[in-house]
Every structure is written in structure tokens, then in C-alpha cells.
Amino acid sequence: MDRKALITWGGWDGHEPDKVAALSKEILLAEGFSVEVYDTLECFADGEALKAYDLIVPVWTMAQIEKQFVINVSEAVSHGVGLAGVHGGMCDAFRDQTLWQFITGANWVSHPGGADVTYDVNILNSSSPLVAGIKDFSVTSEQYYLHVDPGNDVLATTTFPTVNWYHTPNGVVHMPVAWTKRWGLGRVYYNALGHQAETISSGPAREMIRRGLVWASEGRKAATDAGETHDMYASDLNNHG
């Protein structure tokens, strides 16, 4: 059976959400996915329908979303649907929805120096196939400073400060660029690159994202094979923040 992916795009035009969505679709089609693309968040309205996908790819910088839609995504991912995205399209989305930030593993707070900063992406020593064989590389783009979940499994970092600013007196900070995490049975992948589609359209950045998309889509099978069930992580408590 074909793997099914849902891509939804919108929000701030400066991040070229239509082009990033098209690039994500191109990658997934080459990997044998059937792909549905929407330019509305109404595709999150049916929580049960979301559970039929293998992967959700959000491409929404800033914007606003109904809280129930975020809950629907949370439940879908907790049942094994993958969630994967890049840059502001996933971790600077829906700033007033803290559940979204909890699921994705971070929220954006700054990019000192703007879009023309040249910086290194440092691949961490890891047994993860998501970075195997990929060497450190440089990009010229926005360098994301994020408030990051300590539970993330970090795959790559970048070093601050690159540009002198008010954060400089705090000294050297190794900021995560790419990571994975779990949400119930689901897998979550994030990569901070992708201010413009061109930044991630080729080279090691594209390869990292390709692997991340595929990896996230395989969470349900991996959890089932490991004997995990949704009930292992579910709670009957109503107040989760």
C-alpha cells in the first residue's frame, strides 16, 4: 500500500511556503508516496481522517490556527502519523499554541543578522541513519535561535554568536539545527534550514530533509513492531496545558 502524505502550506509569504511545499511534494513523490497538498488549515478539521496518513508536513510560518486543529494533529501523531517540517514552517507556526510547540520540539525567537548570515551546520557524531555520511557544511541564510525541548534527539547544531548583538555576552551557544523526537507512537522530525526553498533544494540540506521525511513516516510501523500501543502513552487527565 502506498504511503500517504499530507502537505499544507500558507502563512507568511517571505518563507516561500508554496515553493517549500512543492519541494516537499517532489521529494515524497520520488520516494513513492501519494501526496495531497492543501493551502488551508481546514485539512486538520477531521481528526479521524488525519490518522489515515503516514506523514503530515506543515509549511505555515506564523499564522493562526484553531486549538482543536492542533489537538487533532496531536492525536494523529500520537497514534503514529509522522510530523516533519523545516524552518519557520513548523517551528515558527501558530505562536499562541503551546501544544504545537510541545509537539514540534521548539519555538523560534530570533535570527540575529537576518537572512544573509553565513554559518556552519555541524553534524553530531551519531549512529542515526538520518545523518550517516553527511559532513559539516555551510549555508548563507537565516541562522535560527530557538527555545528548544531538552528531550529532542539533536542531529546537527550551529554555533552562536555569528553576528554581534545583545546575546553575545552570554558566550558560545551550540544551537540545535535538526532533531527528532517522539510524540506517543509518532515520530517528529525538524530541520531549521529552509528560509528560502533554494536553501534546501540540493546538497546535504536536501538529503537531510529527505531522510527526515521518510523516517517520520515510518513511526507507526516501528512502534507496532516494538510492541507499543497508544494506550501505553495515553492519559485520562484533561489538563495538559
Side-chain angles (χ1 to χ4, degrees):
M1 182 180 294
D2 286 344
R3 291 171 292 178
K4 292 176 57 180
L6 181 158
I7 300 171
T8 178
W9 65 269
W12 185 57
D13 288 340
H15 278 161
E16 301 181 338
D18 53 341
K19 293 181 180 179
V20 173
L23 177 61
S24 301
K25 179 180 179 180
E26 175 186 299
I27 291 170
L28 290 169
L29 288 175
E31 293 294 325
F33 285 76
S34 61
V35 183
E36 298 175 16
V37 181
Y38 299 92
D39 62 356
T40 173
L41 291 169
E42 290 297 321
C43 59
F44 290 161
D46 188 336
E48 288 303 309
L50 285 179
K51 295 174 186 176
Y53 292 96
D54 297 286
L55 179 67
I56 296 170
V57 182
V59 192
W60 283 82
T61 301
M62 296 180 279
Q64 291 184 316
I65 189 172
E66 293 186 28
K67 184 174 183 179
Q68 186 59 51
F69 289 5
V70 179
I71 293 171
N72 291 347
V73 172
S74 172
E75 287 301 303
V77 177
S78 76
H79 279 83
V81 180
L83 183 70
V86 301
H87 201 62
M90 190 159 114
C91 282
D92 187 21
F94 323 130
R95 293 177 179 178
D96 62 338
Q97 297 293 337
T98 54
L99 177 59
W100 184 266
Q101 296 161 15
F102 200 178
I103 300 166
T104 59
N107 60 295
W108 170 87
V109 292
S110 188
H111 43 62
D116 298 316
V117 176
T118 299
Y119 62 94
D120 293 331
V121 176
N122 302 117
I123 306 299
L124 298 187
N125 291 328
S126 170
S127 60
S128 172
L130 293 177
V131 291
I134 297 177
K135 306 298 183 182
D136 295 353
F137 60 97
S138 296
V139 296
T140 299
S141 184
E142 290 180 342
Q143 186 184 29
Y144 261 19
Y145 202 102
L146 300 135
H147 286 173
V148 180
D149 186 339
N152 295 344
D153 184 4
V154 178
L155 302 171
T157 63
T158 188
T159 301
F160 282 88
T162 301
V163 175
N164 191 54
W165 199 41
Y166 300 143
H167 64 306
T168 302
N170 298 306
V172 172
V173 173
H174 299 290
M175 178 61 58
V177 169
W179 61 77
T180 63
K181 66 176 292 185
R182 292 284 304 276
W183 190 258
L185 302 183
R187 290 175 169 181
V188 178
Y189 174 84
Y190 175 73
N191 194 307
L193 303 177
H195 173 62
Q196 302 287 320
E198 183 180 8
T199 310
I200 55 173
S201 64
S202 61
R206 180 187 174 111
E207 177 60 14
M208 288 177 72
I209 292 162
R210 183 194 70 80
R211 295 182 192 183
L213 293 170
V214 173
W215 175 86
S217 75
E218 297 170 342
R220 180 159 39 208
K221 182 179 186 305
T224 300
D225 289 348
E228 298 178 59
T229 67
H230 185 262
D231 287 346
M232 293 171 63
Y233 306 113
S235 171
D236 58 3
L237 299 177
N238 292 322
N239 183 10
H240 296 287

